[in-house]
Amino acid sequence: MDAFIIDGPTTLHGDVAIAGAKNAALPLMAAALLGNGESVITNVPDLADTRFFLKLLEELGMAGEFSNNTLRLDPTVRELETTAPYDIVRKMRASIYVLGPLLAARGESRVSKPGGCAWGPRPVDLHMAGMMALGAEVEEDHGYIVARCPGGLKGGRFRFEPVSVGATCNVLMGAVLARGETLLENCAREPEVVQLGEALIGAGAHIEGLGTQTLQIQGVDSLSPLKCAVIPDRIEAGTFLAAVAVAGGRVRLAGCRQDHLEPIIGVLRDLGCVISEEGDFLVVERTGQLQPVKVETQPFPGFPTDMQAQVMAAAALADGVSFITDTIYPDRFTHVAELERLGARIELKNGTATIMGVSELQGAPVMATDLRASAALVLAGIAAQGRTTVRRVYHIDRGYERIEARLAALGARIERVKDS
Ligand code: EPZ
């Protein structure tokens, strides 16, 4: 197991290129199950999660090849299996994404029910109810979600409550091959959902309303293979923007989509960052004192829950009291105790964190608990006085490609070491 050793404080300077989005790549990989030949997906981030998802697809019988951030996936080389086993799903919740495509492609899917995560329960009831709205019989059997539709899926109507990225993607992937029309309401509008829809339209699907809360889908008999390039990772870009907020400096981000980042840019400007465009670069600069903020996470185009930990690391050094409420995952605060080990002062109450800013953080040994929490600890470690050791960095490898090398290139004193 690896750890990061970080010696602070350092400021950050230079250019960084943003990779493809993990949370866009995973549903696209599942959608390749729907195509009638070899899909080619480029700009795929090389992460533990994408490699893991590839392993699941190969387990199902798909031919796969991954090199130079390009994935070739072919579901037609042999008859697809319909079971996503516990041993794979327990390691990655996003495995649930094969539920809809397998049901649409094979009339049956059996997916181990994903468990909770570091910050609490993560239900999948909307995924199951959505498949039932498309005419499938769905039941739970010895820890598996078993869905069947021997006669094929049929168009239906479904409203997501609450808004769910994963369930919107899953039901959409079922509906595109269902007989007749489907109406989906209160859908997620995240850029990753829009990318999935656009890739499916490119493969011959009929979808209207992408980017809005209402999707209308006219089912088709078959889809061609997918051909698309994964959008830049807005959460990775947000993490590098927040790194400059926490540590100070001036960094130019290459290859990110500003329109996907607006809710994040707004909060970073409130914190005291100057964010501007310079040619194709998005530039972030922070030289002055950090300012307190009041943040509430919301589905897109609101402020993303996947950025609240990183912004909390910045708020820990602000001149005043900040408030962060996570309305999507009210218990997503596993990073709080670890930030407090670095000297932050944070109170948690009813899903809101109250952060009393301090003038400096102190380096200390800390433990990563999940992907975004670990990113926040790394950012705080770069600004802290002295040495910080972040253990269990496998959490961060799930969502960031070689983050320590890219931060070191910006001036951070960070290295990966084997942890005993
Ligand atoms: C996606 O998870 C992302 N994961 C998460 O990012 C992200 O935090 C989340 O969306 C919200 O933006 C991937 O894209 C792989 P949801 P997902 O279904 O789809 C409730 C990261 O750090 N809900 O939109 O699992 C749920 O409990 C990860 O990259 C139900 O009640 O999230 C939550 O409160 C972490 N029933 C809300 O909806 C369901 O069946 C939103 O969850 C499904 C969800």
Side-chain angles (χ1 to χ4, degrees):
M1 220 184 317
D2 292 356
F4 287 157
I5 304 275
I6 309 169
D7 291 312
T10 56
T11 57
L12 302 174
H13 300 269
D15 297 353
V16 62
I18 300 304
K22 164 181 80 81
N23 292 348
L26 299 176
L28 287 171
M29 292 170 71
L33 287 162
L34 299 167
N36 59 6
E38 183 185 78
S39 289
V40 181
I41 308 172
T42 58
N43 198 33
V44 177
D46 191 346
L47 304 167
D49 273 15
T50 45
R51 289 203 171 268
F52 212 80
F53 206 88
L54 176 58
K55 190 160 168 277
L56 168 62
L57 296 175
E58 288 171 336
E59 187 92 13
L60 293 171
M62 197 178 242
E65 188 199 308
F66 189 17
S67 64
N68 301 325
N69 298 102
T70 296
L71 258 175
R72 293 176 182 282
L73 296 168
D74 191 341
T76 63
V77 288
R78 70 176 176 91
E79 187 163 61
L80 290 174
E81 304 292 332
T82 57
T83 298
Y86 170 72
D87 270 345
I88 293 193
V89 177
R90 73 183 171 81
K91 295 196 181 121
M92 188 176 63
R93 299 177 40 73
S95 310
I96 187 97
Y97 276 142
V98 300
L99 183 71
L102 282 178
L103 200 48
R106 289 291 321 279
E108 175 186 306
S109 61
R110 204 165 157 273
V111 179
S112 175
K113 196 173 174 195
C117 72
W119 65 78
R122 303 269 303 267
V124 290
D125 55 313
L126 294 172
H127 297 249
M128 297 167 68
M131 299 310 162
M132 286 195 253
L134 298 179
E137 288 155 28
V138 183
E139 59 175 354
E140 289 188 41
D141 177 27
H142 293 86
Y144 279 76
I145 299 166
V146 181
R148 292 193 188 85
C149 59
L153 291 171
K154 290 191 286 300
R157 181 173 183 157
F158 188 70
R159 180 181 173 78
F160 300 96
E161 202 59 71
V163 170
S164 160
V165 172
T168 301
C169 290
N170 227 336
V171 180
L172 177 60
M173 289 190 278
V176 288
L177 287 181
R179 261 196 326 283
E181 183 165 313
T182 296
L183 181 67
L184 300 179
E185 295 166 295
N186 204 30
C187 297
R189 292 177 276 170
E190 271 68 4
E192 298 77 24
V193 176
V194 173
Q195 162 131 72
L196 174 67
E198 287 169 350
L200 290 168
I201 290 172
H206 295 167
I207 307 170
E208 284 171 28
L210 283 176
T212 76
Q213 291 183 302
T214 306
L215 296 178
Q216 271 180 293
I217 303 112
Q218 188 61 48
V220 294
D221 295 336
S222 68
L223 289 175
S224 324
L226 274 63
K227 308 275 181 223
C228 59
V230 177
I231 54 174
D233 194 322
R234 63 194 170 100
I235 305 300
E236 179 180 271
T239 302
F240 278 102
L241 294 174
V244 176
V246 177
R250 182 180 192 277
V251 167
R252 304 192 310 171
L253 280 66
C256 58
R257 288 264 308 256
Q258 189 165 341
D259 55 333
H260 294 169
L261 288 166
E262 291 306 343
I264 300 170
I265 291 173
V267 168
L268 287 163
R269 285 191 170 131
D270 293 346
L271 277 165
C273 295
V274 177
I275 298 184
S276 57
E277 284 177 73
E278 202 177 273
D280 293 338
F281 289 99
L282 185 69
V283 183
V284 53
E285 187 161 11
R286 205 270 296 164
T287 49
Q289 169 64 58
L290 281 161
Q291 300 305 313
V293 288
K294 196 167 186 314
V295 176
E296 193 178 271
T297 68
Q298 291 290 349
F300 192 87
F303 182 82
T305 171
D306 294 347
M307 277 299 302
Q308 62 99 328
Q310 299 92 314
V311 162
M312 189 182 291
L317 289 164
D319 179 19
V321 181
S322 301
F323 302 92
I324 298 181
T325 302
D326 199 319
T327 68
I328 297 176
Y329 297 116
D331 301 318
R332 191 177 190 172
F333 291 117
T334 49
H335 41 285
V336 167
E338 298 303 308
L339 285 172
E340 287 192 303
R341 290 181 51 72
L342 297 169
R345 292 180 51 222
I346 306 168
E347 273 171 26
L348 274 181
K349 204 165 174 211
N350 307 331
T352 293
T354 303
I355 304 108
M356 285 72 69
V358 296
S359 56
E360 64 180 37
L361 295 174
Q362 302 292 329
V366 291
M367 190 75 79
T369 49
D370 62 82
L371 171 57
R372 309 304 172 182
S374 49
L377 300 179
V378 169
L379 271 49
I382 294 170
Q385 306 291 324
R387 174 160 289 191
T388 295
T389 308
V390 183
R391 306 180 82 171
R392 296 190 184 164
V393 295
Y394 59 81
H395 287 292
I396 212 168
D397 291 336
R398 297 190 59 170
Y400 299 92
E401 249 183 68
R402 299 173 311 99
I403 194 162
E404 78 282 10
R406 296 153 77 197
L407 287 167
L410 296 174
R413 281 185 291 166
I414 177 169
E415 62 172 312
R416 179 186 293 261
V417 296
K418 285 283 163 239
D419 192 16
S420 48

